[in-house]
Amino acid sequence: PQVTPEEIGSQVALEYGQAMTVRVCRADGESMPVVVVQNATALDLKKALRRHVQLRQARRGGVQHLSWRYIWRTYHLTYGGEKLADDRKKLREYGIRNRDEVSFIKKLRK
């Protein structure tokens, strides 16, 4: 697949300072750069991560289905030891800035 208009828009927004890149680190050490707008919420980050992974899978040819419901039930996104638990809370309120790293942490069973 070619570069999508959405990706071009993200890069333009980055250039003009209207967006930021948040690196999402997986447990295996892989880091995925995800672009979100400056006033994005935790939910916006999750949606952008989903789009990033889907595009990457389509480009690599292996289109495998991922259950995002399962992923969000099994993992937290964390930043600085704090869970991004409230989807409506802005990333800025968590202290996340451009080029910061957010991690996937497996939820503990209750």
Side-chain angles (χ1 to χ4, degrees), residues 54-94:
Q54 286 171 338
L55 276 170
R56 193 180 64 185
Q57 283 180 325
R59 288 190 176 123
R60 289 187 176 167
V63 180
Q64 60 191 60
H65 176 72
L66 282 177
S67 169
W68 287 93
R69 183 180 293 164
Y70 170 79
I71 289 171
W72 298 129
R73 219 182 312 131
T74 312
Y75 294 91
H76 288 295
L77 284 176
T78 62
Y79 175 74
E82 182 183 1
K83 294 175 191 167
L84 308 187
D86 184 359
D87 280 347
R88 294 181 308 274
K89 197 170 173 182
K90 301 236 183 276
L91 296 179
R92 213 179 296 137
E93 294 173 45
Y94 286 110

Side-chain angles (χ1 to χ4, degrees), residues 6-7 12-14 27 30 33 37 44 50 58 62 65 67-68 70 73-74 81 84 90-91 93 97-98 101 104 107:
E6 185 181 0
E7 289 175 297
V12 170
L14 268 176
E30 183 183 345
V37 292
D44 294 332
R50 180 180 186 162
H65 176 72
S67 169
W68 287 93
Y70 170 79
R73 219 182 312 131
T74 312
L84 308 187
K90 301 236 183 276
L91 296 179
E93 294 173 45
R97 301 274 183 259
N98 193 21
E101 252 179 35
F104 265 114
K107 289 183 180 179

Side-chain angles (χ1 to χ4, degrees), residues 5 8 16 18 28 40-41 52 107:
I8 294 170
Y16 285 104
Q18 298 164 343
D28 64 3
T41 62
H52 174 85
K107 289 183 180 179

